[in-house]
Amino acid sequence: MTTSPAPPYQPGNVQGLILRGYTHPHSCHLMFSFTGRRGAAGFVRALLPYVQSAEAWSDKPERMLNIGLTFNGILTFEPAFGRQFPPEFEAGPWSEDSQQSLYDTGASDPARWWNSQDKQAIHCIVHVYGMTQDALDGLVALVSQAAANNGLREILPLRPESGQSGRLQQYAPLENFIHFGYRDGIDNPDLGWPADPSTTDPGDANNFLIGYPGSAFGPGPDVGQAGEFAKDGCYCAFRVLYQDVGAFDQFLANTAPEVVAAIGGSEDHAREWLAAKLVGRWRNGSPLALSPDAPDPATAGATDFRYEPDDRPGLRCPYSAHTRVANPRDQAVYASDAPVPRLIRRGVPYGAPPAPPNYEGERGLVGLFLCGALAGQFELLYGWINTNNFSAVFSPGLNTQDALLANRGAPGIDPSFTIAITKEKKIRIPKLPQFIVTRGTAYCLLPSLKTLRRVAGLSA
């Protein structure tokens, strides 16, 4: 067994959110607009003692935070950096080019994002974590006071409701699960370091950290002052997704009789079977590729499996199941100069679960999708989610979609979903409902600690 050489980056210079998954049960994600360079610098300076790096800890910190800057936020500090960052980062996720992949239409239209507030006014997102609610509340209060002291305006991403502030706060009892009932946080990239950069794996850290050779996706910028500013940073597509649990549960209930007629068993089993087919995993995390007939504690969260050749026909995991679309593994995709991209996923549920039959209330996922290249990694995969045309396993011109995450309003798509039971016998659902609504998206750079000290007006 060979081991990769020690990575050239210094963990103490990289924000911890990038290279390690936190397991703090409490978090809050605060959004701010800068009103001037001096105040913005004072705000970052006040938060620097609490910024968590990627260095290993012996005792888990009681409270900590990380900081993301949008392109407009970066211009507050460095107004000469225009046209030096990738165009999709500068233009923002609402731009026409980005929307060719994201397809945020209808209720997800960017005009509705962040309660119809000015998307370009978002300059900074602060991700706060605590081991207890008191620890979280204390650090959130400190962040809020630092913002007030430095003239920042907080942007509330959700409409305040009874008992809710309008901030994006983790619903702690749902740790590691989403509101649809699935186990979450499975199968992130390994983030190793390649022994030979010319043979980098898509899950290696140099595809996520900016400024290192060998990436197949071209993280940037990597030259000049902007390259120095971005080095050891990583892009974050911060995406807030409302989950329509009522529509999801109703779909399972309405379709269960058809499933029973096709495979037998009870309607309860039919609902769970159908839920597994939509995602490619049972709700406990067992992949259909390994446990096609029932969830199995022995495979819950398993990641070591393939689709070829055992499930080439899609009899275990449907082609349009979410996990097979987002990570097709060894399934052949159309020829490309770059390998199939990976994303680092950090996310938490927000909002209380519904109490059926009452599904009222705001709930969903705060998704942080980390990458080195927004267009070549995040937007490419989202394009696959909205239009399944990236592999020969899909019928030419059919343009089906990811069964869970896609926007059904994408143009020219087929909203049907086919579940193969045998090579001859199939269940075809003519039209999948809209399960997800985008509440907002922001593209941020998670800068290095050196860069944060620089914008704070401190020596590196």
Side-chain angles (χ1 to χ4, degrees):
M1 179 179 177
T2 60
T3 58
S4 297
Y9 64 83
Q10 297 298 316
N13 194 40
V14 177
Q15 292 204 57
L17 184 62
I18 301 169
L19 297 180
R20 59 191 310 168
Y22 302 151
T23 55
H24 289 60
H26 304 273
S27 68
C28 187
H29 308 266
L30 297 94
M31 308 172 71
F32 296 101
S33 182
F34 297 147
T35 54
R37 180 172 184 172
R38 182 176 179 180
F43 177 68
V44 174
R45 190 160 56 247
L47 301 191
L48 272 174
Y50 306 94
V51 175
Q52 180 61 45
S53 76
E55 288 183 313
W57 56 52
S58 54
D59 296 313
K60 188 178 294 186
E62 187 72 8
R63 58 181 187 171
M64 60 190 192
L65 58 80
N66 288 117
I67 300 173
L69 299 174
T70 66
F71 179 66
N72 288 333
I74 291 172
L75 290 181
T76 302
F77 301 105
E78 303 288 351
F81 276 2
R83 298 189 179 180
Q84 295 188 43
F85 279 81
E88 65 277 5
F89 179 60
E90 295 195 7
W94 53 84
S95 69
E96 183 176 350
D97 284 346
S98 292
Q99 284 299 315
Q100 293 298 311
S101 299
L102 302 182
Y103 285 137
D104 291 310
T105 61
S108 295
D109 193 291
R112 299 172 178 258
W113 288 357
W114 317 123
N115 283 326
S116 302
Q117 298 176 91
D118 182 3
K119 300 175 290 297
Q120 300 195 55
I122 299 170
H123 295 148
C124 175
I125 301 179
V126 182
H127 311 283
V128 186
Y129 300 88
M131 288 300 295
T132 66
Q133 187 65 51
D134 286 346
L136 178 76
D137 291 345
L139 191 49
V140 167
L142 187 149
V143 173
S144 298
Q145 189 60 55
N149 291 345
N150 289 281
L152 275 67
R153 176 172 64 89
E154 183 175 358
I155 297 173
L156 296 179
L158 302 176
R159 185 173 290 108
E161 298 178 356
S162 176
Q164 297 182 7
S165 66
R167 291 171 173 162
L168 291 163
Q169 186 154 319
Q170 178 177 353
Y171 188 78
L174 274 181
E175 185 181 4
N176 297 326
F177 282 84
I178 63 173
H179 286 289
F180 292 141
Y182 299 96
R183 180 178 172 182
D184 196 24
I186 302 171
D187 201 15
N188 268 309
D190 292 334
L191 299 177
W193 200 260
D196 177 2
S198 67
T199 58
T200 183
D201 181 272
D204 286 341
N206 62 332
N207 292 302
F208 300 91
L209 290 178
I210 298 169
Y212 293 94
S215 169
F217 308 103
D222 56 7
V223 296
Q225 289 191 349
E228 181 184 352
F229 186 98
K231 186 177 175 63
D232 279 333
C234 174
Y235 293 110
C236 172
F238 182 78
R239 195 158 167 87
V240 179
L241 303 172
Y242 166 75
Q243 295 176 349
D244 192 340
V245 183
F248 184 77
D249 287 352
Q250 191 64 56
F251 169 74
L252 297 182
N254 291 347
T255 314
E258 182 180 354
V259 172
V260 170
I263 67 172
S266 68
E267 289 200 4
D268 284 346
H269 177 263
R271 285 193 291 269
E272 291 304 309
W273 182 88
L274 181 57
K277 294 294 184 179
L278 293 173
V279 168
R281 290 180 183 268
W282 297 91
R283 293 207 242 203
N284 78 328
S286 291
L288 291 176
L290 299 178
S291 302
D293 300 319
D296 182 354
T299 62
T303 60
D304 187 12
F305 62 90
R306 301 163 65 88
Y307 294 120
E308 295 283 348
D310 292 345
D311 198 27
R312 185 175 299 166
L315 299 180
R316 295 183 177 184
C317 180
Y319 299 132
S320 292
H322 169 62
T323 57
R324 191 161 184 166
V325 171
N327 184 7
R329 297 177 184 272
D330 58 331
Q331 176 182 298
V333 300
Y334 288 127
S336 171
D337 293 335
V340 174
R342 299 294 309 278
L343 295 173
I344 303 170
R345 295 176 298 110
R346 315 291 189 209
V348 295
Y350 72 89
N358 179 12
Y359 288 92
E360 295 180 1
E362 178 69 30
R363 62 188 57 86
L365 180 74
V366 180
L368 288 76
F369 302 94
L370 309 185
C371 57
L374 287 160
Q377 290 167 291
F378 174 72
E379 290 183 356
L380 177 64
L381 287 176
Y382 237 96
W384 290 4
I385 284 170
N386 281 309
T387 308
N388 295 164
N389 59 2
F390 57 89
S391 172
V393 301
F394 301 104
S395 299
L398 190 58
N399 290 345
T400 53
Q401 296 185 296
D402 183 300
L404 185 70
L405 224 60
N407 195 319
R408 311 297 174 213
I413 59 91
D414 180 344
S416 68
F417 180 52
T418 299
I419 305 171
I421 300 172
T422 67
K423 289 184 179 180
E424 294 77 27
K425 185 177 182 180
K426 297 178 173 63
I427 296 174
R428 184 180 184 275
I429 297 162
K431 184 177 182 179
L432 288 168
Q434 184 72 53
F435 296 129
I436 299 286
V437 176
T438 306
R439 294 296 195 222
T441 306
Y443 286 166
C444 292
L445 175 73
L446 293 166
S448 69
L449 276 290
K450 178 181 178 181
T451 293
L452 289 176
R453 288 191 289 271
R454 168 179 166 173
V455 301
L458 303 175
S459 61

